[in-house]
Amino acid sequence: MERKLVIVDCDAGIDDALALILLAGAHKLNKIQLLAVTCVNGNTNVENVVNNVFRTLQTCGLADIPVYKGAYSPLLSTESARIAATELFHGPDGFGNMFIDKPDTSKLQKEHAVHALYRMVCENPGEVSITCIGPLTNIALAIKLYPDFISKVKEFYVMGGNYTAQGNITAQAEFNFYSDPESVHIFLANNIKPHVLLPWETCMKYAVDPKWKNHVFGKIDTPEVRLMDTLHEFYLNNNKGYAIHKPCDAILAAIVLRPDMATKLIEHHADIELTGCRTRGQVVIDHLESNKPNTSTVIEYDSEIFKELLILALDPENYEGDVL
C-alpha cells in the first residue's frame, strides 16, 4: 500500500505538538510520508510557531522535515482577531514559556508556506492530504492565489468550528475558526474535495483517563514523552487540565492515520457566521438541506484506537500491537 502523503498546517500550541508527534511516529514507521509542516499565526505569533514546530520535530528525530513560515495575521484586522490574539491559552510563546533555550531553526525554508503548499500539491496532484490544526489563513490565501489549488489536493482534515453552537473562545465560537472566520468562509465556499471536520464538541465528548495516562503513558520514557510532560506541567499549573486529556489536534491527527477511528460522521453543508455581533465565528449548518454537502463532520470517535496510536507514536520501538 502506498503511503499517504501528508502536509500539516498548524499554529503549534501544545496539542499541535502531540499531533505532530503522532504523525511523526507514523512517518518513521513508513505508514505515511510527512511532506512538510506549514506554520500559521494562531495560538501564538508565527515566529513562535516556527520555533515550536522545530522543537517538536527535533525531539522526534525528524529535523529534516521541511518547515515553512506562513501568514503572520488573519485576513482582516477585526475585533475578533484582536481578542483571539490575546487569548494566550498555551502561554505567550505557545509552549507555556516552559523553555529557556531556543531550538535550531536554521533549516527554515525560504519559500513562503502558501507558495510551498501550492508547489507540493502540484508535484503530487490528487495525492496530498492536508491536515489543518490552526486557523485556515494559509489555506484561504492559497485558494485565492491559485485557482487550481483545490483541484490538486486529495482531501482536507480540519480541526475547528462546532456543530451545536458550543464554543470555547466565545460562547458560540471555537478558537481556530473565530481567529480568522473569513478564511473559513473562503475554504468552505470553494472546497470541492473530501473534507473531514473535527469540531469542538466532539473533542469534548471523551477524555483520556488520568489513571491510564499515569500508568501507561506515564511509564514511557522517550524524548517525545518528556517534551509532552514538560508542556503538560504548564496546563497543570494553570488549572487547564482538560487540555491534557482532550487534545483536539492530536485527535484529528489520529483520524488522519486511522480514518475508521471516526465512527460517526454527518454530511451537511456548512458555512460560518461573519457579521453576527454575538455569533461571529460560529459554524452555520444548512439543516434544510437546500445546498449540496461540503463537509463530513465527526460526531463520534473510538477513543481506544486513539490511545493505542498514542502508545505507538510515543514508543514505537517497544510497541507490540497492530493499530497501524
Side-chain angles (χ1 to χ4, degrees):
M1 182 181 295
E2 291 187 4
R3 292 183 296 168
K4 179 182 286 189
L5 305 183
V6 177
I7 296 173
V8 178
D9 187 65
C10 74
D11 58 347
I14 293 172
D15 52 343
D16 300 70
L18 188 55
L20 286 174
I21 288 170
L22 276 165
L23 295 170
H27 174 90
K28 288 189 286 187
L29 292 169
N30 291 318
K31 299 298 184 180
I32 67 166
Q33 183 177 349
L34 184 56
L35 289 178
V37 180
T38 54
C39 302
V40 66
N41 175 82
N43 283 317
T44 184
N45 67 62
V46 74
E47 299 291 343
N48 287 333
V49 173
V50 168
N51 289 334
N52 296 342
V53 166
F54 271 106
R55 185 182 299 280
T56 305
L57 291 176
Q58 288 160 12
T59 298
C60 295
L62 292 178
D64 291 331
I65 296 293
V67 178
Y68 301 86
K69 183 165 66 175
Y72 63 86
S73 70
L75 293 184
L76 299 181
S77 298
T78 61
E79 177 65 9
S80 63
R82 184 195 67 78
I83 292 171
T86 59
E87 178 63 29
L88 303 177
F89 186 83
H90 298 260
D93 72 345
F95 269 12
N97 280 11
M98 297 300 289
F99 302 96
I100 59 173
D101 66 310
K102 295 291 184 183
D104 179 4
T105 61
S106 60
K107 292 184 178 181
L108 178 66
Q109 303 295 307
K110 297 185 183 301
E111 188 179 16
H112 192 280
V114 174
H115 301 307
L117 280 164
Y118 180 65
R119 174 181 54 77
M120 287 184 282
V121 298
C122 287
E123 291 171 351
N124 304 279
E127 297 180 8
V128 178
S129 301
I130 300 183
T131 302
C132 305
I133 51 178
L136 295 179
T137 316
N138 286 339
I139 305 302
L141 288 170
I143 291 169
K144 286 300 186 181
L145 280 172
Y146 302 106
D148 59 338
F149 169 71
I150 289 285
S151 68
K152 305 288 187 183
V153 178
K154 177 182 179 181
E155 59 192 354
F156 290 93
Y157 292 85
V158 177
M159 191 281 127
N162 43 32
Y163 69 98
T164 63
Q166 179 181 345
N168 54 13
I169 189 168
T170 71
Q172 288 78 30
E174 177 276 332
F175 176 85
N176 284 348
F177 279 21
Y178 184 79
S179 295
D180 192 352
E182 280 74 22
S183 288
V184 178
H185 171 70
I186 289 169
F187 170 69
L188 291 173
N190 289 276
N191 183 40
I192 56 174
K193 292 303 180 76
H195 165 216
V196 173
L197 176 68
L198 177 67
W200 174 249
E201 298 95 327
T202 303
C203 297
M204 294 300 100
K205 283 185 175 182
Y206 309 99
V208 174
D209 184 348
K211 292 182 180 179
W212 180 89
K213 179 186 179 296
N214 292 333
H215 296 292
V216 179
F217 181 100
K219 299 298 183 182
I220 300 171
D221 184 19
T222 63
E224 292 88 343
V225 171
R226 292 193 289 273
L227 172 65
M228 294 311 303
D229 280 345
T230 300
L231 297 178
H232 287 164
E233 184 180 338
F234 166 74
Y235 280 140
L236 293 172
N237 292 338
N238 288 270
N239 298 312
K240 298 169 181 174
Y242 77 85
I244 299 173
H245 308 300
K246 300 175 182 178
C248 303
D249 295 340
I251 296 167
L252 182 71
I255 292 172
V256 172
L257 298 177
R258 280 284 302 270
D260 63 321
M261 187 179 123
T263 56
K264 182 179 180 182
L265 298 99
I266 296 178
E267 291 193 357
H268 49 231
H269 185 276
D271 203 342
I272 190 164
E273 177 58 49
L274 300 177
T275 59
C277 63
R278 297 179 184 271
T279 57
R280 179 172 165 81
Q282 177 186 320
V283 172
V284 180
I285 295 173
D286 177 15
H287 293 291
L288 297 179
E289 300 182 355
S290 54
N291 294 285
K292 183 179 178 181
N294 63 352
T295 184
S296 296
T297 299
V298 180
I299 306 299
E300 306 277 351
Y301 72 89
D302 189 326
S303 60
E304 293 303 313
I305 292 177
F306 178 58
K307 289 192 290 187
E308 281 291 303
L309 286 167
L310 281 178
I311 295 171
L312 169 63
L314 293 165
D315 193 14
E317 292 185 4
N318 295 310
Y319 180 74
E320 297 179 349
D322 59 355
V323 70
L324 279 182

